[in-house]
């Protein structure tokens, strides 16, 4: 094979690779960003949450109505934590949510963890 043909073939492969990489980057930036927020509750959450529950659920409902919260709920049996999946909400926005959550203010959250969530399968992913 001639040197010119090899050089042309290499240049074409580089062009295709660059094009695909740029397309993948563009698609990723158009996709949704998810975060998973996990709460660990105090041991006696069920006895203490009553006076704060409506406000706690109301704050979550506002995020859902704004299109920022996909699903949330208590976890464990007995209940020992909470799990929230946020969509297209910034880390700072979620941290503010935690800070202002009535459960946090009432001392019902013993710890919390916020992590990026790489959603790859599910109905929500197909519609994004």
């Amino acid at each position: 094979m001639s040197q010119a043909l090899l050089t042309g073939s290499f240049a074409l492969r580089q062009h295709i690779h660059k094009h695909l990489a740029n397309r993948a980057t563009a698609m990723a930036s158009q996709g949704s960003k998810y975060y998973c927020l996990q709460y660990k509750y105090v041991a006696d959450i069920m006895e203490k949450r009553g006076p704060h529950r409506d406000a706690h659920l109301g704050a979550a409902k506002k995020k859902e109505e704004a299109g920022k919260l996909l699903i949330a709920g208590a976890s464990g049996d007995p209940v020992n934590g909470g799990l929230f999946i946020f969509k297209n909400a910034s880390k700072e926005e979620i941290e503010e949510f935690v800070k202002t959550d009535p459960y946090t203010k009432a001392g019902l959250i013993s710890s919390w963890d916020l992590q990026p969530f790489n959603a790859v399968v599910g109905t929500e992913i197909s519609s994004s």
Side-chain angles (χ1 to χ4, degrees):
M1 202 176 278
S2 74
Q3 184 63 32
L5 186 55
L6 287 173
T7 302
S9 176
F10 179 73
L12 179 58
R13 281 186 301 205
Q14 278 188 314
H15 174 75
I16 291 170
H17 184 270
K18 184 176 179 181
H19 173 74
L20 291 175
N22 288 343
R23 182 153 167 73
T25 300
M27 288 174 70
S29 68
Q30 292 173 0
S32 298
K33 177 147 184 137
Y34 299 88
Y35 278 98
C36 178
L37 171 64
Q38 288 186 285
Y39 280 170
K40 183 174 181 187
Y41 294 147
V42 295
D44 50 358
I45 183 70
M46 299 303 285
E47 292 79 29
K48 291 184 174 180
R49 74 180 183 178
H52 315 285
R53 191 161 192 253
D54 286 345
H56 165 75
L57 295 176
K61 190 72 173 165
K62 283 182 184 177
K63 289 294 181 193
E64 179 196 23
E65 290 168 353
K68 305 276 183 154
L69 181 61
L70 292 180
I71 192 166
S75 59
D77 185 15
V79 171
N80 60 15
L83 179 68
F84 303 76
I85 302 295
F86 287 89
K87 176 183 177 184
N88 295 329
S90 70
K91 181 178 180 184
E92 295 77 18
E93 183 177 1
I94 299 167
E95 289 171 342
E96 183 66 19
F97 172 83
V98 173
K99 180 180 171 185
T100 60
D101 186 334
Y103 279 14
T104 302
K105 290 180 173 183
L108 302 179
I109 311 291
S110 60
S111 66
W112 59 276
D113 183 55
L114 180 62
Q115 297 291 325
F117 181 71
N118 298 314
V120 294
V121 175
T123 306
E124 175 63 30
I125 307 309
S126 301
S127 65
S128 293

